[in-house]
Amino acid sequence: MWGMDASKTSSGPVASRAAGIELIALSKRYDGGSVAVNAIDLRIAEGSYCCLLGPSGCGKSTTLRMIAGHESVSSGDILMGSRNITDLPAAARGTAMMFQSFALFPHLTALDNVAFSLKMKGVARAERQQQAQALLERVAMGHLAQRLPGELSGGQQQRVALARALMNHPKVLLLDEPLSALDPFLRIQMRAELRRWQQELGLTFIHVTHSQEEAMALADTMVVMNHGVIEQVGSPHQIYNRPVNEFVARFMGGHNVLRLPQGLMAVRNDHLQLGSPAEACPSLGGTVTDVEYQGTHVLLGVEAVDQQGATGVTVMVPEARFAEHPVQLGQAVSLWWQPQQAHALAA
Ligand code: ADP
């Protein structure tokens, strides 16, 4: 088994081959009857970066913990490659976990943090230190192996946490909100680095986040969850441009949900235009309620009137266009869009 191989090899640890994950009618009911995850089906391709995304309480972490083996499954199956891992203990699955703020032991050096799981397995000191050093070198941290976590930057700590997670040759790396405790600047740097490592290692990454921006920046596949079910699976481009329903459109942001004669439609903020509609283009009247300068563009709040009455609409106007045609608070405006830029939403 991979875990045993890891402790026996003398050539130093190298990441093993990626595996895909398949969830089949996977459910989790906690004691007391609440359904945290409700019969979800999902295929995650091997070697891909998958983000589980959704509001707090939607079941993302429970799903990740079931894949990790840290939470029992109420019903359904989890496959890794062709193996059914549903009932395997966590350590036998071929997954590794990275937690929020990396959860390094503060009193252990980087090297001892990485070597910790081998120590628990009884691997001799010289052997485990050699493997840990090799992994730290893999993430360009070999020269800082003797530092304590508190003596490392956030980015360096992330690399130590990654090296530690790689120690058991995982096929799938599970990341539970790893970036959410970082300040915004560091978070953007760290996510770029995570993406680079995922591509370089070629492993399957499954990353839980509540941030749309983070998921779009990282994912090959985004899985949007709500109330224990999957609302939509797709590439960031597909999900942003073709949200399937009102929940996804509103959760992703950047869209207006309009009640039009054809039904519920989504139109992106940056696809709404001000002024007289081009021929055969749909339009709505409204009044400007907010003007917010954002640098590259100006965000306008408009109280518009659609089929069912007043509705708040956001319009993103490029800065140069706003400078040519400024509008003011309280001004009556007409909004229009190209018909092909309105996208029907399921009720
Ligand atoms: P998310 O990660 O999307 O914020 P979670 O998977 O943590 O959501 O939780 C999903 C639902 O399950 C929530 O309603 C939460 O309150 C509930 N839940 C999570 N953990 C437990 C638990 N140990 N016992 C009971 N209910 C839980």
Side-chain angles (χ1 to χ4, degrees):
M1 232 166 51
W2 52 272
M4 302 290 279
D5 291 343
S7 62
K8 280 183 183 155
T9 178
S10 57
S11 55
V14 187
S16 53
R17 291 265 305 280
I21 290 277
E22 188 173 355
L23 310 180
I24 304 167
L26 187 68
S27 292
K28 178 67 188 182
R29 284 174 292 279
Y30 284 109
D31 297 342
S34 72
V35 181
V37 176
N38 194 356
I40 61 172
D41 294 300
L42 178 65
R43 268 173 194 268
I44 301 170
E46 66 180 62
S48 66
Y49 205 123
C50 174
C51 284
L52 304 182
L53 173 70
S56 179
C58 72
K60 326 179 276 294
S61 303
T62 300
T63 301
L64 197 76
R65 291 202 304 269
M66 286 193 284
I67 298 170
H70 297 164
E71 193 72 73
S72 65
V73 166
S74 301
S75 57
D77 285 291
I78 304 171
L79 308 187
M80 180 189 288
S82 55
R83 277 194 315 158
N84 191 324
I85 62 167
T86 315
D87 298 316
L88 289 184
R93 293 187 172 208
T95 56
M97 194 93 173
M98 251 174 87
F99 296 96
Q100 198 177 97
S101 308
F102 322 128
L104 297 173
F105 298 117
H107 56 290
L108 296 184
T109 62
L111 189 77
D112 288 339
N113 262 286
V114 177
F116 188 78
S117 65
L118 293 187
K119 186 175 182 182
M120 293 296 101
K121 284 185 190 157
V123 175
R125 184 182 164 83
E127 173 67 19
R128 64 179 192 252
Q129 292 203 335
Q130 185 204 327
Q131 290 194 33
Q133 184 68 36
L135 274 174
L136 283 171
E137 268 152 33
R138 184 93 175 78
V139 297
M141 282 290 293
H143 60 302
L144 299 176
Q146 294 307 323
R147 293 253 185 110
L148 294 172
E151 299 164 342
L152 298 170
S153 73
Q156 292 165 339
Q157 289 180 35
Q158 172 166 281
R159 286 192 235 163
V160 175
L162 181 62
R164 185 178 60 178
L166 295 176
M167 181 52 101
N168 288 318
H169 298 224
K171 296 171 186 300
V172 178
L173 192 65
L174 306 172
L175 305 101
D176 194 358
E177 301 258 9
L179 307 176
S180 60
L182 305 178
D183 68 66
F185 182 71
L186 191 58
R187 195 182 310 144
I188 290 171
Q189 276 188 315
M190 292 302 89
R191 83 177 178 217
E193 187 158 311
L194 273 184
R195 181 69 183 152
R196 270 201 303 280
W197 286 117
Q198 187 270 333
Q199 286 174 338
E200 190 178 317
L201 296 164
L203 294 179
T204 310
F205 275 33
I206 308 177
H207 175 137
V208 161
T209 178
H210 59 268
S211 160
Q212 302 84 337
E213 185 193 305
E214 188 169 302
M216 286 200 284
L218 284 168
D220 296 309
T221 305
M222 280 168 68
V223 179
V224 183
M225 295 183 67
N226 184 30
H227 293 311
V229 300
I230 293 174
E231 298 277 0
Q232 189 169 3
V233 178
S235 68
H237 183 267
Q238 284 167 337
I239 294 203
Y240 195 74
N241 284 287
R242 288 274 177 274
V244 289
N245 58 29
E246 182 172 4
F247 172 81
V248 178
R250 291 198 189 279
F251 183 74
M252 289 307 296
H255 288 83
N256 294 292
V257 176
L258 303 174
R259 300 154 301 184
L260 300 174
Q262 321 77 303
L264 207 59
M265 308 290 280
V267 184
R268 280 170 42 164
N269 297 346
D270 56 336
H271 287 162
L272 285 176
Q273 316 219 32
L274 292 174
S276 330
E279 195 169 326
C281 286
S283 65
L284 294 177
T287 307
V288 176
T289 56
D290 277 300
V291 179
E292 220 177 64
Y293 181 68
Q294 302 213 327
T296 58
H297 56 269
V298 177
L299 265 191
L300 300 180
V302 175
E303 172 126 313
V305 180
D306 69 7
Q307 286 294 108
Q308 289 184 28
T311 185
V313 168
T314 305
V315 186
M316 187 187 270
V317 186
E319 185 194 33
R321 198 185 314 151
F322 186 84
E324 281 170 36
H325 304 285
V327 296
Q328 282 158 4
L329 280 180
Q331 187 173 330
V333 289
S334 162
L335 304 174
W336 64 278
W337 58 93
Q338 300 287 343
Q340 66 274 18
Q341 288 175 328
H343 160 68
L345 299 172

